[in-house]
Amino acid sequence: MVKLNKIYTRTGDDGTSGLADGSRVAKSSLRMTAIGDVDEANSAIGVARTALGHGIVEEALARIQNDLFDLGADIATPLVEGEAPGAALRIVASQVTRLEQEIDRLNDELSPLTSFVLPAGDASASALHLARAIARRAERSAVAATQDAMLNPLALAYLNRLSDYLFVAARWVNQAGAGDVLWVPGAQR
């Protein structure tokens, strides 16, 4: 378990941050950017949970927030070629599959899209759309981090599914899609 009894350490005063293996990298590195963007997505999901109140989407988001801590730990732990399964906390296939099942569960109750959806509607749906946009940035950051370091491919898949889940959840919250705010191309000309 994690035990933090001192919040500041001064070790990052030189512009570096420690990875799970004890190595240090620049806080501006692509890896640290990805970790920060995952943290921001997690925070946005927390705001969405507050807006939603209790229900199936809020319950799924609680699981997702824990998954995102796993994902942050995964990115913060350098991947070692030939690493034994379970040697480090990594996103696993079942976490990606569970997101896919959650997407399918909600999407089965939605009518098909006839236009692009604007990030609007109910306040909780809008919060989900914001979390979706941040999750997409986290995915882009994680993909960029692969330029410098090997990352778990399932971590990337999880982030890709996460933005899909948040989109479908926003539609579901918007009265099962009936409250979607649809894009009207050229409407403001």
Side-chain angles (χ1 to χ4, degrees):
M1 293 300 296
V2 175
K3 182 179 179 184
L4 297 173
N5 51 353
K6 187 166 185 176
I7 300 305
Y8 64 90
T9 62
R10 296 188 177 110
T11 58
D13 291 353
D14 65 353
T16 64
S17 189
L19 297 178
D21 68 353
S23 64
R24 300 202 62 82
V25 297
K27 290 183 179 185
S28 61
S29 72
L30 295 174
R31 182 188 295 264
M32 291 309 298
T33 298
I35 292 168
D37 287 347
V38 167
D39 184 39
E40 187 178 351
N42 203 344
S43 297
I45 288 169
V47 171
R49 284 183 66 195
T50 302
L52 282 164
H54 190 70
I56 64 168
V57 172
E58 190 276 333
E59 290 169 7
L61 293 177
R63 287 189 300 274
I64 288 166
Q65 284 195 289
N66 278 285
D67 285 351
L68 288 176
F69 261 74
D70 291 353
L71 196 142
D74 189 335
I75 296 172
T77 305
L79 189 62
V80 178
E81 198 160 331
E83 180 178 277
L89 180 58
R90 303 277 180 213
I91 292 294
V92 295
S94 62
Q95 289 170 293
V96 177
T97 300
R98 185 175 62 231
L99 264 183
E100 291 171 348
Q101 291 167 343
E102 297 276 354
I103 292 166
D104 293 342
R105 175 182 179 187
L106 297 179
N107 203 46
D108 284 346
E109 297 181 30
L110 300 176
S111 57
L113 283 171
T114 57
S115 177
F116 287 105
V117 174
L118 298 178
D122 179 273
S124 56
S126 296
L128 288 164
H129 278 298
L130 180 60
R132 171 193 51 78
I134 295 168
R136 288 202 177 167
R137 178 168 18 98
E139 180 187 10
R140 290 190 304 272
S141 296
V143 168
T146 64
Q147 296 171 26
D148 292 339
M150 286 191 323
L151 294 184
N152 176 6
L154 290 171
L156 299 176
Y158 188 93
L159 284 169
N160 190 20
R161 295 308 178 287
L162 176 58
S163 61
D164 294 336
Y165 172 79
L166 294 168
F167 175 76
V168 170
R171 289 198 66 220
W172 190 87
V173 166
N174 264 339
Q175 303 159 15
D180 284 340
V181 179
L182 301 178
W183 174 46
V184 180
Q188 305 305 313
R189 290 184 177 177

